[in-house]
């Protein structure tokens, strides 16, 4: 599925999570900020989708807590900034 923008329903289908879980993750993880249309519809980019898949894997498969995932994402972001 390769397109410019994805709806929350499409993201839900691809990553295997309910839409309410994705909306909750948006509140929990400040790095998830989909664009919104004038009508308030969320539009996720490919990098948003990849990030959500990574978060899902860390929570569901690796067994990390939300706080653990936040720390891991911050650590990755700092490493990426240092290598720039």
């Amino acid at each position: 599925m390769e397109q410019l923008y994805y709806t929350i329903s499409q993201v839900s289908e691809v990553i295997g999570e309910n839409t309410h879980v994705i909306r909750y993750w948006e509140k929990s993880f400040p790095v998830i900020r989909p664009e919104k249309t004038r009508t308030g519809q969320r539009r996720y980019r490919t990098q948003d989708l990849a990030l959500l898949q990574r978060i899902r894997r860390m929570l569901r498969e690796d067994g990390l807590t939300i706080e653990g995932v936040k720390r891991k994402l911050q650590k990755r972001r700092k490493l990426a900034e240092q290598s720039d």
Side-chain angles (χ1 to χ4, degrees):
M1 190 152 116
E2 194 61 41
Q3 55 193 58
L4 194 55
Y5 292 105
Y6 302 90
T7 65
I8 194 167
S9 304
Q10 291 171 318
V11 171
S12 171
E13 188 176 314
V14 169
I15 70 170
E17 289 290 340
N18 290 319
T19 56
H20 71 272
V21 173
I22 296 168
R23 286 190 294 271
Y24 176 75
W25 287 352
E26 284 179 28
K27 293 176 185 173
S28 299
F29 300 101
V31 294
I32 304 172
R33 290 291 164 237
E35 291 182 22
K36 290 191 180 178
T37 64
R38 280 186 239 145
T39 60
Q41 206 173 30
R42 291 165 170 83
R43 294 181 357 159
Y44 296 88
R45 295 165 298 174
T46 304
Q47 55 263 38
D48 296 324
L49 182 60
L51 177 60
L52 286 164
Q53 287 175 316
R54 192 174 321 127
I55 289 171
R56 183 187 189 284
R57 185 178 60 253
M58 287 189 276
L59 289 169
R60 305 291 189 229
E61 296 172 19
D62 300 344
L64 294 175
T65 63
I66 287 184
E67 288 304 314
V69 173
K70 283 181 184 179
R71 282 192 296 271
K72 202 165 194 173
L73 290 174
Q74 284 177 337
K75 190 182 286 187
R76 282 186 180 172
R77 193 170 29 248
K78 285 180 184 176
L79 288 173
E81 289 172 0
Q82 289 175 357
S83 66
D84 285 341

